[in-house]
């Protein structure tokens, strides 16, 4: 039988079954389980799910914010085209299923509405490269942009805004430059949109 030794480069022989890393953009496997196990990414996400579910584990997925989910099936693919979602599956899965029928073209809404997709893609690429070198460079969770009265309308105000400071945070050095460039672009774009609204 295949004990996974031939996949030793990614350490998959350490787990119940060899796993296959699909990268980003392929979506995540639809299953009844869909269990959020915590803040893990890359091989660590797979390891945590494997430790809990063993041979029942079919797939694991994680996003740029660091949320890791365990799946016990792969009936179809959700969020196909989203560069911010990463997927690993059991090595026995040679081909992924098609998109879920209720999944409305994610790629359209992503490019239409998400701020700074090119810079996010650069950050995601940096994360993937770091992960291949055994480094978890994810910056952790964040959100933009709070719809409250305190949201600043000037660049000066943005520098001291709590949400902006939390988002910038203190990310791992490996991808800190890409992360800061992406976050600054998101808030600058939001600021422009707000000022357009203010000035009519």
């Amino acid at each position: 039988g295949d004990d996974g030794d031939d996949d030793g480069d990614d350490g998959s022989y350490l787990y119940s079954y060899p796993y296959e890393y699909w990268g980003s953009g392929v979506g995540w496997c639809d299953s009844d389980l869909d269990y959020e196990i915590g803040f893990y990414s890359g091989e660590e996400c797979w390891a945590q799910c494997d430790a809990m579910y063993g041979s029942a584990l079919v797939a694991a997925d994680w996003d740029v914010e660091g949320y890791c989910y365990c799946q016990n099936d792969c009936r179809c693919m959700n969020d196909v085209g989203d560069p911010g979602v990463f997927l690993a599956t059991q090595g026995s899965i040679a081909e992924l299923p098609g998109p879920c029928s209720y999944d409305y073209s994610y790629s359209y809404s992503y490019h239409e509405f998400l701020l700074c997709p090119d810079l996010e893609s650069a950050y995601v690429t940096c994360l993937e490269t770091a992960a291949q070198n055994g480094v978890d460079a994810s910056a952790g969770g964040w959100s933009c942009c709070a719809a409250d009265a305190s949201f600043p309308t000037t660049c000066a105000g943005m520098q001291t805004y709590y949400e902006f400071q939390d988002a910038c945070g203190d990310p791992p050095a490996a991808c800190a430059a890409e992360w800061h460039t992406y976050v600054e672009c998101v808030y600058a774009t939001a600021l422009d949109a707000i000022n357009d609204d203010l000035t009519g």
Side-chain angles (χ1 to χ4, degrees), residues 66-92:
Y67 291 98
C68 171
Y69 298 86
C70 313
Q71 311 292 351
N72 63 353
D73 200 352
C74 198
R75 295 176 294 217
C76 58
M77 303 306 296
N78 290 293
D79 292 343
V80 175
D82 181 354
V85 175
F86 304 83
L87 176 71
T89 66
Q90 272 193 20
S92 59

Side-chain angles (χ1 to χ4, degrees), residues 28-77:
W28 54 275
C29 286
D30 189 76
S31 80
D32 291 330
L33 181 61
D34 196 26
Y35 179 71
E36 181 190 320
I37 199 167
F39 280 95
Y40 305 102
S41 59
E43 191 172 332
E44 192 177 7
C45 176
W46 180 266
Q48 293 293 328
C49 289
D50 181 79
M52 179 171 284
Y53 296 103
S55 61
L57 180 66
V58 172
D61 57 86
W62 58 96
D63 58 28
V64 292
E65 295 182 346
Y67 291 98
C68 171
Y69 298 86
C70 313
Q71 311 292 351
N72 63 353
D73 200 352
C74 198
R75 295 176 294 217
C76 58
M77 303 306 296

Side-chain angles (χ1 to χ4, degrees), residues 1-13:
D2 180 8
D3 60 5
D5 286 343
D6 57 347
D7 290 325
D9 287 345
D10 62 14
S12 58
Y13 61 88

